[in-house]
Amino acid sequence: MDAGIAAVLGAGVGTIGMIVTGWTARSATKMQMRNESIRERREPRRASYEAFSSAVAALHDHLEPWVNFGRLINRVKPSGDEAALAASYLKHSEFKDGYVAHAIALADEVSRFGRHVVLDGPAELEPLVSKVTELSSGLVVPFRILQSFARISDTAGDSTVAYDTSAFPKKLKQLDQSVREFLQHASAALDRDVVS
């Protein structure tokens, strides 16, 4: 082979080698940047999903004894052909100190962390979050009424609120089921982040 042709072929192979090496390095950098971007997006989502579900669990655990047993203590059954629903008569003074305020604060945390989830996305989680926050809010309505009476009355501890709590056991189960459904969808959304 002629020395000139060998030099040209050597230079060509060297150039092709540099191009392949440059392309490989650029592809590796792109993949690394993409993985870093996914991680940066995934971690805050995971944290907000976890905070939301933990807030729901705390509210559930706080309300469960009252819903399953405590609300039955001050129950009045309607007589005759009246509605089959029974009202619970609640007094602020009959709850342990801070129980009512803590229940409301926990429901507010569920709502606040739910907004974080909606902001972090994806959008498909919003209906699930809305369902959970509505159930949470509904479970503390009688406590919000008691707290409102406490703000406007000096005799708040003596104020009595009649509220139909007969659906509360069902709502508490729905809350538990809804947060489980949320967690399944949230997990799938995080998995899609890794795959895409």
Side-chain angles (χ1 to χ4, degrees):
M1 192 185 270
D2 188 304
I5 294 176
V8 169
L9 286 177
V13 169
T15 302
I16 291 173
M18 282 181 21
I19 291 172
V20 169
T21 302
W23 179 80
T24 304
R26 197 173 100 217
S27 292
T29 302
K30 276 185 177 180
M31 281 182 19
Q32 185 178 11
M33 288 174 57
R34 182 179 171 276
N35 289 339
E36 185 66 25
S37 173
I38 289 171
R39 189 185 64 73
E40 286 175 4
R41 185 177 66 220
R42 188 175 194 265
E43 289 305 314
R45 279 183 173 182
R46 186 182 187 288
S48 70
Y49 300 166
E50 187 174 341
F52 178 66
S53 62
S54 294
V56 174
L59 176 66
H60 181 278
D61 292 347
H62 184 74
L63 292 178
E64 186 176 33
W66 176 73
V67 167
N68 290 330
F69 308 110
R71 69 186 180 77
L72 302 175
I73 293 171
N74 296 320
R75 201 133 161 108
V76 174
K77 300 271 185 208
S79 60
D81 292 330
E82 294 179 31
L85 300 175
S88 293
Y89 290 86
L90 310 173
K91 280 188 175 184
H92 201 282
S93 61
E94 292 175 346
F95 289 95
K96 276 187 157 182
D97 206 23
Y99 184 86
V100 169
H102 190 59
I104 293 168
L106 289 171
D108 290 345
E109 275 190 8
V110 169
S111 180
R112 181 170 56 93
F113 287 126
R115 288 189 300 273
H116 290 249
V117 170
V118 170
L119 289 173
D120 287 341
E124 70 192 44
L125 295 178
E126 190 276 330
L128 299 166
V129 171
S130 293
K131 183 177 181 180
V132 170
T133 55
E134 287 171 15
L135 286 166
S136 298
S137 294
L139 285 164
V140 298
V141 166
F143 297 137
R144 288 195 191 279
I145 295 169
L146 284 173
Q147 194 175 57
S148 295
F149 282 152
R151 286 189 199 121
I152 61 174
S153 173
D154 289 336
T155 59
D158 297 332
S159 298
T160 302
V161 173
Y163 198 86
D164 179 12
T165 60
S166 61
F168 278 28
K170 181 180 174 185
K171 286 183 179 183
L172 195 64
K173 285 180 184 174
Q174 287 176 336
L175 179 67
D176 188 48
Q177 291 168 349
S178 296
V179 78
R180 289 175 192 272
E181 184 180 359
F182 161 78
L183 286 171
Q184 289 173 346
H185 283 81
S187 177
L190 291 174
D191 288 345
R192 274 194 309 277
D193 280 349
V194 172
V195 172
S196 59

